[in-house]
Amino acid sequence: MIVRHFSVLCLTSTIVAIMLLISRPTLSFTGITNRVRSQGKRKVVRSATTSDSSVFDTRTNYDNGITFDPIHYEPRDFFRYELIHQSKKPGSLARVGRIHTPHGIIDTPGFVAVATNGALKGLSFEDADRSNQQLVFCNSYHLLLHPGPDIIEAAGGLHAFTKRDTNRPFITDSGGFQVFSLAYGSVHEELTSKGELKKSHGKNKHRKVIKNPVNVTEEGVIFHSYRDGSKIKLTPETTVQAQKAYGSDIIIPLDELPPFHIDRERLEKSVALSHRWETRSLKEHLKDTRKQAMYCVVHGGLDIELRRKSVEYLTSLPFDGFAIGGSLGSNHEELMDLLAWMMPMFEVDDRKSKPRHLLGIADEAGVMGAVAKGFDTMDSCYPTRIARHGTFLTREGKLHIKSSKHSRSFGVPIDKNCSCTTCQKYDRAYLWHLYKAKEPLFIQLATQHNIHYMNDFMAQIRKDIMEDKM
């Protein structure tokens, strides 16, 4: 099952941690986290709740009456996409370009590493930068819960807080993906349950059970913190305000991520709700752009009509780029089929002049397919996650270091053609030992290699496009 963010695989620890206290006050972050009055009870729909069916208005007017001034459609002087070369290979939409941001250039197509809590797992930003990691993805949901937007803003934004090179940009999401994962569970659970919402049956130390971990209304979504059980209210406006505090270069509006196994009527309502939320997010963002770009998130599942409507509506608004999200199929073939008929819609008019991002898909096969369909950037925790579990990405395929056959591979690097510090200094025998001994150093060395490999992989892809091979 491929769902909006393939990085859902990285959420296991978050989802398992729903041992919550239901008697906490609601939190709302209007730029800075503040306590507000708890919400009243809502009508229950399985483990997610809604006020009533009117919340999901299916009217084609998605905008809540919101309009935008002509000036909002003018090109930004702080953010732009530069096309360098469009592949001439028949049937290919691949292109090479640069995204110019206030914190440096992103060479495209490019891999986007995921730093969930403002940190790459097992690797410093300095080490990642040495492997030419440009754009990094941080998750608003986790940063909201800790340390909080107010602290990051007081530090001077994400770059100052993390001490990352100011010539390396950040992208942040709205937090919605992680919130809806609390309700709908992991990809595996969604597939095996045939669409049944995940039941939050965990108990906290006080033996209290959270019956409805997520409550969706027209206003926004209320969920429980996995850290202390407090209720938190997320709205299109507050998620934008939080991302303003983070100071990220690219921000994402609030949208709903419905489960894969839903009927067409429910999907249509979800798309309409996401459009209204995204329009409100954009309106809030444009009040004070702070030299930040905002991408829309195109929804519609595998439904051609809904995807088309989503593309047409969202591209009519003054967003700075396009992200593709929502349910993207149950396997690689469905994903590629979806992109094959959808991505040509971005080749018309001024849509070609804006960057395109694929949310949560960045395994090698996914990258190759997405690039051929015209994507510029792709994010995923896949390379860093498999590194922690002993798998290296190499030019000859995946290498699983836990095998005892590597115990005497003295002097043999993970990848003889790799220039990363791991391959230049260490051999397979030592890395096998570190993994089997559960030494923390292994995670650092494995992650360093996989991040370096992905950026080398993308550099080769750009070269192939320039030569019209892809």
Side-chain angles (χ1 to χ4, degrees):
M1 165 67 183
I2 301 175
V3 181
R4 171 157 174 203
H5 301 302
F6 188 76
S7 55
V8 69
L9 296 174
C10 299
L11 295 174
T12 303
S13 60
T14 299
I15 297 171
V16 170
I18 311 176
M19 302 293 188
L20 306 171
L21 306 175
I22 61 173
S23 58
R24 297 299 182 92
T26 302
L27 294 179
S28 175
F29 63 105
T30 56
I32 307 299
T33 305
N34 295 310
R35 294 186 176 274
V36 298
R37 189 180 302 276
S38 296
Q39 301 295 307
K41 294 183 178 180
R42 302 287 184 180
K43 181 179 178 182
V44 175
V45 179
R46 291 186 179 145
S47 65
T49 61
T50 64
S51 56
D52 56 56
S53 60
S54 65
V55 165
F56 305 104
D57 189 352
T58 59
R59 65 185 183 275
T60 55
N61 180 14
Y62 300 122
D63 57 16
N64 298 305
I66 294 174
T67 59
F68 297 95
D69 295 332
I71 193 172
H72 293 147
Y73 291 85
E74 295 296 322
R76 316 286 191 238
D77 60 2
F78 54 84
F79 183 90
R80 65 185 176 90
Y81 173 77
E82 174 191 3
L83 177 65
I84 295 175
H85 179 74
Q86 183 80 49
S87 176
K88 296 180 178 62
K89 182 178 179 179
S92 175
L93 299 179
R95 60 186 193 171
V96 173
R98 295 190 187 100
I99 301 173
H100 297 260
T101 80
H103 290 102
I105 289 174
I106 306 162
D107 293 309
T108 67
F111 165 70
V112 183
V114 175
T116 300
N117 284 299
L120 294 166
K121 286 182 170 56
L123 193 67
S124 70
F125 283 131
E126 184 178 15
D127 286 337
D129 292 346
R130 280 197 285 266
S131 290
N132 200 32
Q133 185 59 55
Q134 295 174 319
L135 186 59
V136 167
F137 202 115
C138 293
N139 298 118
S140 287
Y141 169 82
H142 295 282
L143 295 177
L144 163 67
L145 298 182
H146 196 276
D150 51 345
I151 290 179
I152 295 176
E153 185 174 43
L158 277 172
H159 283 88
F161 188 58
T162 63
K163 302 300 187 288
R164 193 179 187 217
D165 189 332
T166 54
N167 287 319
R168 304 281 179 168
F170 280 112
I171 177 174
T172 52
D173 63 3
S174 68
F177 169 67
Q178 286 79 14
V179 170
F180 288 108
S181 294
L182 295 176
Y184 304 137
S186 69
V187 169
H188 175 71
E189 289 168 335
E190 172 59 20
L191 276 178
T192 56
S193 66
K194 301 297 182 182
E196 288 297 318
L197 296 179
K198 178 184 176 184
K199 294 181 179 179
S200 179
H201 50 70
K203 296 181 180 180
N204 60 30
K205 62 183 179 180
H206 294 98
R207 302 297 181 184
K208 291 184 178 180
V209 180
I210 296 301
K211 295 181 180 179
N212 302 305
V214 176
N215 182 1
V216 183
T217 72
E218 183 70 41
E219 179 64 17
V221 57
I222 299 172
F223 64 98
H224 292 270
S225 165
Y226 69 87
R227 298 184 65 88
D228 62 8
S230 57
K231 289 183 179 179
I232 297 176
K233 182 179 180 181
L234 196 65
T235 71
E237 292 76 22
T238 59
T239 187
V240 170
Q241 291 158 10
Q243 292 180 85
K244 295 296 177 187
Y246 302 150
S248 41
D249 298 271
I250 303 169
I251 64 178
I252 303 293
L254 184 64
D255 58 337
E256 185 191 24
L257 174 64
F260 181 71
H261 293 284
I262 59 173
D263 59 33
R264 211 262 185 187
E265 181 181 4
R266 175 63 181 88
L267 178 60
E268 186 176 17
K269 292 176 180 178
S270 176
V271 171
L273 179 64
S274 286
H275 286 176
R276 295 194 295 276
W277 281 357
E278 292 188 55
T279 305
R280 286 167 53 192
S281 297
L282 180 60
K283 189 70 173 181
E284 182 68 21
H285 163 61
L286 292 174
K287 291 178 181 178
D288 181 13
T289 59
R290 300 192 192 184
K291 294 188 175 181
Q292 293 174 300
M294 176 177 276
Y295 288 9
C296 64
V297 182
V298 174
H299 277 272
L302 299 180
D303 189 292
I304 295 177
E305 180 186 1
L306 291 180
R307 282 285 178 182
R308 179 182 57 78
K309 287 182 176 180
S310 189
V311 170
E312 290 177 353
Y313 174 68
L314 293 173
T315 58
S316 73
L317 302 180
F319 285 105
D320 302 294
F322 313 121
I324 306 303
S327 298
L328 300 174
S330 61
N331 53 50
H332 179 77
E333 290 69 28
E334 287 188 353
L335 169 64
M336 290 301 112
D337 287 344
L338 167 65
L339 300 182
W341 56 255
M342 180 173 62
M343 293 311 295
M345 289 189 281
F346 293 95
E347 294 295 318
V348 300
D349 303 326
D350 62 348
R351 297 174 189 174
K352 296 180 66 173
S353 66
K354 296 181 179 181
R356 309 152 186 170
H357 182 86
L358 183 58
L359 287 161
I361 309 292
D363 60 299
E364 292 167 282
V367 166
M368 294 289 286
V371 167
K373 300 299 187 294
F375 280 96
D376 302 302
T377 50
M378 296 130 281
D379 74 273
S380 178
C381 65
Y382 168 76
T384 53
R385 178 182 178 273
I386 64 172
R388 297 194 299 275
H389 293 279
T391 298
F392 290 86
L393 298 169
T394 80
R395 288 157 180 80
E396 297 179 356
K398 294 184 180 67
L399 187 149
H400 306 290
I401 200 65
K402 67 180 180 180
S403 173
S404 60
K405 69 181 181 182
H406 300 299
S407 63
R408 293 182 178 274
S409 296
F410 308 122
V412 181
I414 292 297
D415 187 333
K416 64 182 180 180
N417 294 313
C418 181
S419 61
C420 78
T421 54
T422 301
C423 289
Q424 294 300 306
K425 292 185 177 181
Y426 304 100
D427 59 23
R428 296 183 185 185
Y430 182 58
L431 292 166
W432 168 82
H433 158 67
L434 293 179
Y435 178 78
K436 300 296 283 188
K438 295 181 171 57
E439 285 292 337
L441 177 60
F442 173 82
I443 295 176
Q444 177 185 343
L445 297 178
T447 303
Q448 178 77 70
H449 169 80
N450 280 1
I451 288 290
H452 194 97
Y453 172 85
M454 286 301 299
N455 284 295
D456 280 355
F457 180 56
M458 301 310 299
Q460 183 60 50
I461 285 177
R462 291 192 292 271
K463 182 176 182 294
D464 288 344
I465 298 172
M466 292 296 293
E467 297 173 357
D468 298 319
K469 294 179 181 178
M470 184 175 180

